[in-house]
Structure formats: structure tokens, C-alpha cells
PDB file of all heavy atoms in Angstrom:
ATOM      1  N   PHE A   1    -171.362-108.848   5.048  1.00  0.00           N
ATOM      2  CA  PHE A   1    -170.007-109.403   5.134  1.00  0.00           C
ATOM      3  C   PHE A   1    -170.026-110.725   4.388  1.00  0.00           C
ATOM      4  O   PHE A   1    -170.938-111.540   4.543  1.00  0.00           O
ATOM      5  CB  PHE A   1    -169.610-109.598   6.598  1.00  0.00           C
ATOM      6  CG  PHE A   1    -168.145-109.882   6.801  1.00  0.00           C
ATOM      7  CD1 PHE A   1    -167.240-108.849   6.989  1.00  0.00           C
ATOM      8  CD2 PHE A   1    -167.676-111.180   6.816  1.00  0.00           C
ATOM      9  CE1 PHE A   1    -165.895-109.101   7.181  1.00  0.00           C
ATOM     10  CE2 PHE A   1    -166.326-111.451   7.018  1.00  0.00           C
ATOM     11  CZ  PHE A   1    -165.436-110.397   7.203  1.00  0.00           C
ATOM     12  N   TYR A   2    -168.995-110.978   3.578  1.00  0.00           N
ATOM     13  CA  TYR A   2    -168.978-112.126   2.678  1.00  0.00           C
ATOM     14  C   TYR A   2    -167.858-113.093   3.058  1.00  0.00           C
ATOM     15  O   TYR A   2    -166.886-112.724   3.741  1.00  0.00           O
ATOM     16  CB  TYR A   2    -168.784-111.657   1.233  1.00  0.00           C
ATOM     17  CG  TYR A   2    -169.841-110.667   0.780  1.00  0.00           C
ATOM     18  CD1 TYR A   2    -169.652-109.298   0.984  1.00  0.00           C
ATOM     19  CD2 TYR A   2    -171.003-111.106   0.157  1.00  0.00           C
ATOM     20  CE1 TYR A   2    -170.629-108.386   0.570  1.00  0.00           C
ATOM     21  CE2 TYR A   2    -171.979-110.199  -0.254  1.00  0.00           C
ATOM     22  CZ  TYR A   2    -171.784-108.845  -0.041  1.00  0.00           C
ATOM     23  OH  TYR A   2    -172.735-107.932  -0.429  1.00  0.00           O
ATOM     24  N   ASP A   3    -167.982-114.328   2.586  1.00  0.00           N
ATOM     25  CA  ASP A   3    -166.886-115.271   2.789  1.00  0.00           C
ATOM     26  C   ASP A   3    -165.875-115.115   1.661  1.00  0.00           C
ATOM     27  O   ASP A   3    -165.982-114.217   0.822  1.00  0.00           O
ATOM     28  CB  ASP A   3    -167.398-116.699   2.904  1.00  0.00           C
ATOM     29  CG  ASP A   3    -168.019-117.232   1.613  1.00  0.00           C
ATOM     30  OD1 ASP A   3    -167.892-116.564   0.559  1.00  0.00           O
ATOM     31  OD2 ASP A   3    -168.630-118.314   1.650  1.00  0.00           O
ATOM     32  N   GLU A   4    -164.889-115.999   1.630  1.00  0.00           N
ATOM     33  CA  GLU A   4    -163.794-115.875   0.659  1.00  0.00           C
ATOM     34  C   GLU A   4    -164.246-116.144  -0.768  1.00  0.00           C
ATOM     35  O   GLU A   4    -163.502-115.863  -1.713  1.00  0.00           O
ATOM     36  CB  GLU A   4    -162.677-116.841   1.058  1.00  0.00           C
ATOM     37  CG  GLU A   4    -162.001-116.444   2.361  1.00  0.00           C
ATOM     38  CD  GLU A   4    -161.265-117.600   3.015  1.00  0.00           C
ATOM     39  OE1 GLU A   4    -161.728-118.745   2.864  1.00  0.00           O
ATOM     40  OE2 GLU A   4    -160.256-117.355   3.704  1.00  0.00           O
ATOM     41  N   PHE A   5    -165.471-116.668  -0.949  1.00  0.00           N
ATOM     42  CA  PHE A   5    -165.967-116.989  -2.288  1.00  0.00           C
ATOM     43  C   PHE A   5    -167.118-116.080  -2.703  1.00  0.00           C
ATOM     44  O   PHE A   5    -167.810-116.344  -3.687  1.00  0.00           O
ATOM     45  CB  PHE A   5    -166.405-118.455  -2.339  1.00  0.00           C
ATOM     46  CG  PHE A   5    -165.340-119.405  -1.881  1.00  0.00           C
ATOM     47  CD1 PHE A   5    -165.395-119.945  -0.591  1.00  0.00           C
ATOM     48  CD2 PHE A   5    -164.270-119.743  -2.693  1.00  0.00           C
ATOM     49  CE1 PHE A   5    -164.397-120.807  -0.152  1.00  0.00           C
ATOM     50  CE2 PHE A   5    -163.288-120.599  -2.254  1.00  0.00           C
ATOM     51  CZ  PHE A   5    -163.349-121.135  -0.981  1.00  0.00           C
ATOM     52  N   GLY A   6    -167.351-114.998  -1.923  1.00  0.00           N
ATOM     53  CA  GLY A   6    -168.357-114.020  -2.289  1.00  0.00           C
ATOM     54  C   GLY A   6    -169.743-114.333  -1.795  1.00  0.00           C
ATOM     55  O   GLY A   6    -170.698-113.643  -2.175  1.00  0.00           O
ATOM     56  N   LYS A   7    -169.907-115.331  -0.926  1.00  0.00           N
ATOM     57  CA  LYS A   7    -171.217-115.674  -0.390  1.00  0.00           C
ATOM     58  C   LYS A   7    -171.473-114.872   0.876  1.00  0.00           C
ATOM     59  O   LYS A   7    -170.634-114.817   1.781  1.00  0.00           O
ATOM     60  CB  LYS A   7    -171.284-117.164  -0.088  1.00  0.00           C
ATOM     61  CG  LYS A   7    -172.654-117.610   0.412  1.00  0.00           C
ATOM     62  CD  LYS A   7    -172.665-119.115   0.680  1.00  0.00           C
ATOM     63  CE  LYS A   7    -174.018-119.560   1.196  1.00  0.00           C
ATOM     64  NZ  LYS A   7    -174.056-121.022   1.470  1.00  0.00           N
ATOM     65  N   ALA A   8    -172.662-114.246   0.961  1.00  0.00           N
ATOM     66  CA  ALA A   8    -173.001-113.411   2.113  1.00  0.00           C
ATOM     67  C   ALA A   8    -173.058-114.254   3.379  1.00  0.00           C
ATOM     68  O   ALA A   8    -173.653-115.337   3.402  1.00  0.00           O
ATOM     69  CB  ALA A   8    -174.328-112.704   1.876  1.00  0.00           C
ATOM     70  N   GLN A   9    -172.441-113.748   4.446  1.00  0.00           N
ATOM     71  CA  GLN A   9    -172.380-114.449   5.718  1.00  0.00           C
ATOM     72  C   GLN A   9    -173.240-113.806   6.800  1.00  0.00           C
ATOM     73  O   GLN A   9    -173.507-114.430   7.822  1.00  0.00           O
ATOM     74  CB  GLN A   9    -170.927-114.503   6.202  1.00  0.00           C
ATOM     75  CG  GLN A   9    -170.003-115.272   5.300  1.00  0.00           C
ATOM     76  CD  GLN A   9    -170.352-116.747   5.258  1.00  0.00           C
ATOM     77  OE1 GLN A   9    -170.246-117.445   6.255  1.00  0.00           O
ATOM     78  NE2 GLN A   9    -170.799-117.217   4.098  1.00  0.00           N
ATOM     79  N   GLY A  10    -173.593-112.568   6.620  1.00  0.00           N
ATOM     80  CA  GLY A  10    -174.344-111.865   7.644  1.00  0.00           C
ATOM     81  C   GLY A  10    -174.060-110.379   7.584  1.00  0.00           C
ATOM     82  O   GLY A  10    -173.413-109.880   6.655  1.00  0.00           O
ATOM     83  N   LYS A  11    -174.552-109.666   8.584  1.00  0.00           N
ATOM     84  CA  LYS A  11    -174.403-108.226   8.628  1.00  0.00           C
ATOM     85  C   LYS A  11    -173.362-107.826   9.664  1.00  0.00           C
ATOM     86  O   LYS A  11    -173.172-108.490  10.678  1.00  0.00           O
ATOM     87  CB  LYS A  11    -175.735-107.561   8.980  1.00  0.00           C
ATOM     88  CG  LYS A  11    -176.844-107.801   7.962  1.00  0.00           C
ATOM     89  CD  LYS A  11    -176.548-107.107   6.634  1.00  0.00           C
ATOM     90  CE  LYS A  11    -177.727-107.244   5.680  1.00  0.00           C
ATOM     91  NZ  LYS A  11    -177.484-106.545   4.384  1.00  0.00           N
ATOM     92  N   VAL A  12    -172.681-106.692   9.410  1.00  0.00           N
ATOM     93  CA  VAL A  12    -171.725-106.118  10.347  1.00  0.00           C
ATOM     94  C   VAL A  12    -171.987-104.618  10.452  1.00  0.00           C
ATOM     95  O   VAL A  12    -172.579-104.015   9.558  1.00  0.00           O
ATOM     96  CB  VAL A  12    -170.260-106.356   9.916  1.00  0.00           C
ATOM     97  CG1 VAL A  12    -169.933-107.828   9.875  1.00  0.00           C
ATOM     98  CG2 VAL A  12    -169.992-105.715   8.551  1.00  0.00           C
ATOM     99  N   ASN A  13    -171.520-104.037  11.543  1.00  0.00           N
ATOM    100  CA  ASN A  13    -171.492-102.592  11.676  1.00  0.00           C
ATOM    101  C   ASN A  13    -170.189-102.097  11.071  1.00  0.00           C
ATOM    102  O   ASN A  13    -169.124-102.234  11.665  1.00  0.00           O
ATOM    103  CB  ASN A  13    -171.600-102.177  13.142  1.00  0.00           C
ATOM    104  CG  ASN A  13    -172.980-102.466  13.717  1.00  0.00           C
ATOM    105  OD1 ASN A  13    -173.985-102.142  13.094  1.00  0.00           O
ATOM    106  ND2 ASN A  13    -173.025-103.073  14.893  1.00  0.00           N
ATOM    107  N   MET A  14    -170.270-101.563   9.879  1.00  0.00           N
ATOM    108  CA  MET A  14    -169.076-101.196   9.112  1.00  0.00           C
ATOM    109  C   MET A  14    -168.690 -99.745   9.410  1.00  0.00           C
ATOM    110  O   MET A  14    -169.432 -98.810   9.108  1.00  0.00           O
ATOM    111  CB  MET A  14    -169.334-101.360   7.621  1.00  0.00           C
ATOM    112  CG  MET A  14    -168.105-101.170   6.754  1.00  0.00           C
ATOM    113  SD  MET A  14    -166.894-102.504   6.948  1.00  0.00           S
ATOM    114  CE  MET A  14    -167.700-103.809   6.002  1.00  0.00           C
ATOM    115  N   MET A  15    -167.523 -99.577  10.034  1.00  0.00           N
ATOM    116  CA  MET A  15    -166.999 -98.227  10.273  1.00  0.00           C
ATOM    117  C   MET A  15    -166.384 -97.687   8.996  1.00  0.00           C
ATOM    118  O   MET A  15    -165.946 -98.447   8.128  1.00  0.00           O
ATOM    119  CB  MET A  15    -165.943 -98.267  11.381  1.00  0.00           C
ATOM    120  CG  MET A  15    -166.444 -98.843  12.705  1.00  0.00           C
ATOM    121  SD  MET A  15    -165.219 -98.753  14.047  1.00  0.00           S
ATOM    122  CE  MET A  15    -163.907 -99.796  13.411  1.00  0.00           C
ATOM    123  N   PHE A  16    -166.329 -96.388   8.891  1.00  0.00           N
ATOM    124  CA  PHE A  16    -165.786 -95.761   7.673  1.00  0.00           C
ATOM    125  C   PHE A  16    -165.046 -94.475   8.035  1.00  0.00           C
ATOM    126  O   PHE A  16    -165.448 -93.727   8.930  1.00  0.00           O
ATOM    127  CB  PHE A  16    -166.904 -95.401   6.691  1.00  0.00           C
ATOM    128  CG  PHE A  16    -166.446 -94.504   5.576  1.00  0.00           C
ATOM    129  CD1 PHE A  16    -165.744 -95.025   4.500  1.00  0.00           C
ATOM    130  CD2 PHE A  16    -166.676 -93.123   5.636  1.00  0.00           C
ATOM    131  CE1 PHE A  16    -165.309 -94.189   3.486  1.00  0.00           C
ATOM    132  CE2 PHE A  16    -166.239 -92.299   4.611  1.00  0.00           C
ATOM    133  CZ  PHE A  16    -165.551 -92.833   3.527  1.00  0.00           C
ATOM    134  N   GLN A  17    -163.957 -94.268   7.334  1.00  0.00           N
ATOM    135  CA  GLN A  17    -163.300 -92.966   7.347  1.00  0.00           C
ATOM    136  C   GLN A  17    -162.417 -92.838   6.109  1.00  0.00           C
ATOM    137  O   GLN A  17    -162.019 -93.824   5.497  1.00  0.00           O
ATOM    138  CB  GLN A  17    -162.475 -92.751   8.611  1.00  0.00           C
ATOM    139  CG  GLN A  17    -161.210 -93.586   8.737  1.00  0.00           C
ATOM    140  CD  GLN A  17    -160.297 -93.065   9.828  1.00  0.00           C
ATOM    141  OE1 GLN A  17    -159.862 -91.919   9.774  1.00  0.00           O
ATOM    142  NE2 GLN A  17    -160.031 -93.901  10.812  1.00  0.00           N
ATOM    143  N   ARG A  18    -162.141 -91.595   5.763  1.00  0.00           N
ATOM    144  CA  ARG A  18    -161.257 -91.294   4.640  1.00  0.00           C
ATOM    145  C   ARG A  18    -160.076 -90.521   5.184  1.00  0.00           C
ATOM    146  O   ARG A  18    -160.239 -89.522   5.872  1.00  0.00           O
ATOM    147  CB  ARG A  18    -161.994 -90.471   3.599  1.00  0.00           C
ATOM    148  CG  ARG A  18    -161.147 -90.111   2.373  1.00  0.00           C
ATOM    149  CD  ARG A  18    -161.916 -89.190   1.446  1.00  0.00           C
ATOM    150  NE  ARG A  18    -163.123 -89.842   0.926  1.00  0.00           N
ATOM    151  CZ  ARG A  18    -164.033 -89.205   0.205  1.00  0.00           C
ATOM    152  NH1 ARG A  18    -163.910 -87.924  -0.040  1.00  0.00           N
ATOM    153  NH2 ARG A  18    -165.089 -89.866  -0.239  1.00  0.00           N
ATOM    154  N   GLY A  19    -158.883 -90.992   4.884  1.00  0.00           N
ATOM    155  CA  GLY A  19    -157.711 -90.317   5.409  1.00  0.00           C
ATOM    156  C   GLY A  19    -156.443 -90.815   4.758  1.00  0.00           C
ATOM    157  O   GLY A  19    -156.451 -91.692   3.883  1.00  0.00           O
ATOM    158  N   SER A  20    -155.325 -90.243   5.167  1.00  0.00           N
ATOM    159  CA  SER A  20    -154.015 -90.591   4.632  1.00  0.00           C
ATOM    160  C   SER A  20    -153.410 -91.690   5.502  1.00  0.00           C
ATOM    161  O   SER A  20    -152.952 -91.429   6.613  1.00  0.00           O
ATOM    162  CB  SER A  20    -153.104 -89.358   4.600  1.00  0.00           C
ATOM    163  OG  SER A  20    -151.844 -89.690   4.079  1.00  0.00           O
ATOM    164  N   PHE A  21    -153.405 -92.918   4.987  1.00  0.00           N
ATOM    165  CA  PHE A  21    -152.875 -94.066   5.724  1.00  0.00           C
ATOM    166  C   PHE A  21    -151.900 -94.832   4.842  1.00  0.00           C
ATOM    167  O   PHE A  21    -152.093 -94.902   3.621  1.00  0.00           O
ATOM    168  CB  PHE A  21    -154.006 -95.011   6.153  1.00  0.00           C
ATOM    169  CG  PHE A  21    -155.041 -94.399   7.024  1.00  0.00           C
ATOM    170  CD1 PHE A  21    -156.268 -94.022   6.489  1.00  0.00           C
ATOM    171  CD2 PHE A  21    -154.806 -94.188   8.374  1.00  0.00           C
ATOM    172  CE1 PHE A  21    -157.242 -93.453   7.301  1.00  0.00           C
ATOM    173  CE2 PHE A  21    -155.775 -93.611   9.179  1.00  0.00           C
ATOM    174  CZ  PHE A  21    -156.990 -93.245   8.647  1.00  0.00           C
ATOM    175  N   PRO A  22    -150.863 -95.423   5.433  1.00  0.00           N
ATOM    176  CA  PRO A  22    -149.991 -96.297   4.658  1.00  0.00           C
ATOM    177  C   PRO A  22    -150.800 -97.479   4.092  1.00  0.00           C
ATOM    178  O   PRO A  22    -151.464 -98.195   4.841  1.00  0.00           O
ATOM    179  CB  PRO A  22    -148.957 -96.770   5.686  1.00  0.00           C
ATOM    180  CG  PRO A  22    -148.966 -95.710   6.736  1.00  0.00           C
ATOM    181  CD  PRO A  22    -150.381 -95.238   6.820  1.00  0.00           C
ATOM    182  N   TYR A  23    -150.751 -97.648   2.787  1.00  0.00           N
ATOM    183  CA  TYR A  23    -151.563 -98.656   2.118  1.00  0.00           C
ATOM    184  C   TYR A  23    -150.779 -99.195   0.945  1.00  0.00           C
ATOM    185  O   TYR A  23    -150.241 -98.439   0.134  1.00  0.00           O
ATOM    186  CB  TYR A  23    -152.883 -98.024   1.644  1.00  0.00           C
ATOM    187  CG  TYR A  23    -153.722 -98.881   0.730  1.00  0.00           C
ATOM    188  CD1 TYR A  23    -154.093-100.162   1.106  1.00  0.00           C
ATOM    189  CD2 TYR A  23    -154.152 -98.401  -0.510  1.00  0.00           C
ATOM    190  CE1 TYR A  23    -154.874-100.947   0.286  1.00  0.00           C
ATOM    191  CE2 TYR A  23    -154.937 -99.173  -1.345  1.00  0.00           C
ATOM    192  CZ  TYR A  23    -155.299-100.461  -0.949  1.00  0.00           C
ATOM    193  OH  TYR A  23    -156.074-101.228  -1.768  1.00  0.00           O
ATOM    194  N   THR A  24    -150.676-100.516   0.849  1.00  0.00           N
ATOM    195  CA  THR A  24    -149.892-101.112  -0.229  1.00  0.00           C
ATOM    196  C   THR A  24    -150.438-102.494  -0.539  1.00  0.00           C
ATOM    197  O   THR A  24    -151.367-102.989   0.098  1.00  0.00           O
ATOM    198  CB  THR A  24    -148.396-101.207   0.165  1.00  0.00           C
ATOM    199  OG1 THR A  24    -147.636-101.618  -0.970  1.00  0.00           O
ATOM    200  CG2 THR A  24    -148.201-102.185   1.296  1.00  0.00           C
ATOM    201  N   ALA A  25    -149.844-103.114  -1.528  1.00  0.00           N
ATOM    202  CA  ALA A  25    -150.151-104.508  -1.892  1.00  0.00           C
ATOM    203  C   ALA A  25    -148.830-105.224  -2.123  1.00  0.00           C
ATOM    204  O   ALA A  25    -147.908-104.669  -2.731  1.00  0.00           O
ATOM    205  CB  ALA A  25    -151.023-104.576  -3.135  1.00  0.00           C
ATOM    206  N   ILE A  26    -148.727-106.439  -1.628  1.00  0.00           N
ATOM    207  CA  ILE A  26    -147.519-107.234  -1.805  1.00  0.00           C
ATOM    208  C   ILE A  26    -147.889-108.469  -2.601  1.00  0.00           C
ATOM    209  O   ILE A  26    -148.714-109.281  -2.174  1.00  0.00           O
ATOM    210  CB  ILE A  26    -146.905-107.624  -0.446  1.00  0.00           C
ATOM    211  CG1 ILE A  26    -146.482-106.355   0.328  1.00  0.00           C
ATOM    212  CG2 ILE A  26    -145.697-108.542  -0.633  1.00  0.00           C
ATOM    213  CD1 ILE A  26    -145.858-106.636   1.680  1.00  0.00           C
ATOM    214  N   ALA A  27    -147.294-108.601  -3.764  1.00  0.00           N
ATOM    215  CA  ALA A  27    -147.667-109.674  -4.683  1.00  0.00           C
ATOM    216  C   ALA A  27    -147.422-111.050  -4.066  1.00  0.00           C
ATOM    217  O   ALA A  27    -148.201-111.984  -4.263  1.00  0.00           O
ATOM    218  CB  ALA A  27    -146.886-109.520  -5.992  1.00  0.00           C
ATOM    219  N   GLU A  28    -146.311-111.178  -3.325  1.00  0.00           N
ATOM    220  CA  GLU A  28    -145.997-112.489  -2.747  1.00  0.00           C
ATOM    221  C   GLU A  28    -147.040-112.943  -1.740  1.00  0.00           C
ATOM    222  O   GLU A  28    -147.182-114.138  -1.478  1.00  0.00           O
ATOM    223  CB  GLU A  28    -144.634-112.448  -2.040  1.00  0.00           C
ATOM    224  CG  GLU A  28    -143.462-112.202  -2.966  1.00  0.00           C
ATOM    225  CD  GLU A  28    -143.083-110.748  -3.044  1.00  0.00           C
ATOM    226  OE1 GLU A  28    -143.991-109.887  -3.106  1.00  0.00           O
ATOM    227  OE2 GLU A  28    -141.884-110.452  -3.009  1.00  0.00           O
ATOM    228  N   LEU A  29    -147.763-111.997  -1.157  1.00  0.00           N
ATOM    229  CA  LEU A  29    -148.782-112.332  -0.171  1.00  0.00           C
ATOM    230  C   LEU A  29    -150.171-112.479  -0.787  1.00  0.00           C
ATOM    231  O   LEU A  29    -151.082-112.995  -0.140  1.00  0.00           O
ATOM    232  CB  LEU A  29    -148.850-111.268   0.936  1.00  0.00           C
ATOM    233  CG  LEU A  29    -147.638-111.141   1.846  1.00  0.00           C
ATOM    234  CD1 LEU A  29    -147.858-110.023   2.864  1.00  0.00           C
ATOM    235  CD2 LEU A  29    -147.377-112.461   2.568  1.00  0.00           C
ATOM    236  N   ASP A  30    -150.363-111.985  -2.000  1.00  0.00           N
ATOM    237  CA  ASP A  30    -151.694-111.937  -2.601  1.00  0.00           C
ATOM    238  C   ASP A  30    -152.666-111.195  -1.691  1.00  0.00           C
ATOM    239  O   ASP A  30    -153.797-111.646  -1.458  1.00  0.00           O
ATOM    240  CB  ASP A  30    -152.228-113.350  -2.870  1.00  0.00           C
ATOM    241  CG  ASP A  30    -151.570-113.995  -4.069  1.00  0.00           C
ATOM    242  OD1 ASP A  30    -151.219-113.264  -5.006  1.00  0.00           O
ATOM    243  OD2 ASP A  30    -151.382-115.221  -4.070  1.00  0.00           O
ATOM    244  N   ALA A  31    -152.224-110.053  -1.178  1.00  0.00           N
ATOM    245  CA  ALA A  31    -153.056-109.344  -0.207  1.00  0.00           C
ATOM    246  C   ALA A  31    -152.822-107.840  -0.280  1.00  0.00           C
ATOM    247  O   ALA A  31    -151.728-107.378  -0.641  1.00  0.00           O
ATOM    248  CB  ALA A  31    -152.759-109.839   1.207  1.00  0.00           C
ATOM    249  N   HIS A  32    -153.864-107.094   0.062  1.00  0.00           N
ATOM    250  CA  HIS A  32    -153.765-105.659   0.275  1.00  0.00           C
ATOM    251  C   HIS A  32    -153.458-105.435   1.754  1.00  0.00           C
ATOM    252  O   HIS A  32    -153.951-106.165   2.626  1.00  0.00           O
ATOM    253  CB  HIS A  32    -155.081-104.965  -0.071  1.00  0.00           C
ATOM    254  CG  HIS A  32    -155.526-105.218  -1.480  1.00  0.00           C
ATOM    255  ND1 HIS A  32    -155.072-104.475  -2.557  1.00  0.00           N
ATOM    256  CD2 HIS A  32    -156.402-106.123  -1.986  1.00  0.00           C
ATOM    257  CE1 HIS A  32    -155.632-104.912  -3.655  1.00  0.00           C
ATOM    258  NE2 HIS A  32    -156.444-105.917  -3.352  1.00  0.00           N
ATOM    259  N   ILE A  33    -152.656-104.422   2.056  1.00  0.00           N
ATOM    260  CA  ILE A  33    -152.212-104.196   3.434  1.00  0.00           C
ATOM    261  C   ILE A  33    -152.437-102.746   3.808  1.00  0.00           C
ATOM    262  O   ILE A  33    -152.075-101.831   3.065  1.00  0.00           O
ATOM    263  CB  ILE A  33    -150.713-104.560   3.590  1.00  0.00           C
ATOM    264  CG1 ILE A  33    -150.502-106.021   3.182  1.00  0.00           C
ATOM    265  CG2 ILE A  33    -150.255-104.350   5.025  1.00  0.00           C
ATOM    266  CD1 ILE A  33    -149.052-106.430   3.128  1.00  0.00           C
ATOM    267  N   LEU A  34    -153.032-102.539   4.967  1.00  0.00           N
ATOM    268  CA  LEU A  34    -153.325-101.202   5.471  1.00  0.00           C
ATOM    269  C   LEU A  34    -152.797-101.077   6.888  1.00  0.00           C
ATOM    270  O   LEU A  34    -152.895-102.010   7.685  1.00  0.00           O
ATOM    271  CB  LEU A  34    -154.838-100.950   5.465  1.00  0.00           C
ATOM    272  CG  LEU A  34    -155.309 -99.613   6.039  1.00  0.00           C
ATOM    273  CD1 LEU A  34    -155.025 -98.484   5.058  1.00  0.00           C
ATOM    274  CD2 LEU A  34    -156.810 -99.669   6.368  1.00  0.00           C
ATOM    275  N   GLU A  35    -152.218 -99.917   7.211  1.00  0.00           N
ATOM    276  CA  GLU A  35    -151.739 -99.650   8.567  1.00  0.00           C
ATOM    277  C   GLU A  35    -152.590 -98.552   9.200  1.00  0.00           C
ATOM    278  O   GLU A  35    -152.728 -97.463   8.647  1.00  0.00           O
ATOM    279  CB  GLU A  35    -150.266 -99.233   8.570  1.00  0.00           C
ATOM    280  CG  GLU A  35    -149.733 -98.932   9.970  1.00  0.00           C
ATOM    281  CD  GLU A  35    -148.268 -98.534   9.973  1.00  0.00           C
ATOM    282  OE1 GLU A  35    -147.657 -98.494   8.870  1.00  0.00           O
ATOM    283  OE2 GLU A  35    -147.734 -98.253  11.059  1.00  0.00           O
TER     284      GLU A  35
END
């Protein structure tokens, strides 16, 4: 897991799945958004 500048902060248990989820990006927020 990294900080906002790409420096490693430590380890996490990363869950994973592949599926159909609402996913978008809003330019005004400078962020990707997932539901």
C-alpha cells in the first residue's frame, strides 16, 4: 500500500473480484469513483 506520492507504506490484505459495477471518473474531483 502506497502513500499519495508513491512511497510504500506497508502491506495490506488486498481483496479482489471482477464484476459489473458502476465505475466512473469525474474531472472536477480528480478522482475515480466506484460503487
Side-chain angles (χ1 to χ4, degrees):
F1 192 89
Y2 303 89
D3 66 10
E4 293 159 328
F5 307 101
K7 183 179 179 180
Q9 297 294 295
K11 298 292 185 179
V12 297
N13 291 313
M14 187 70 76
M15 303 185 297
F16 168 79
Q17 70 166 301
R18 180 185 297 173
S20 180
F21 300 102
Y23 170 54
T24 188
I26 298 180
E28 295 95 318
L29 294 179
D30 285 327
H32 303 276
I33 302 173
L34 177 75
E35 179 179 0

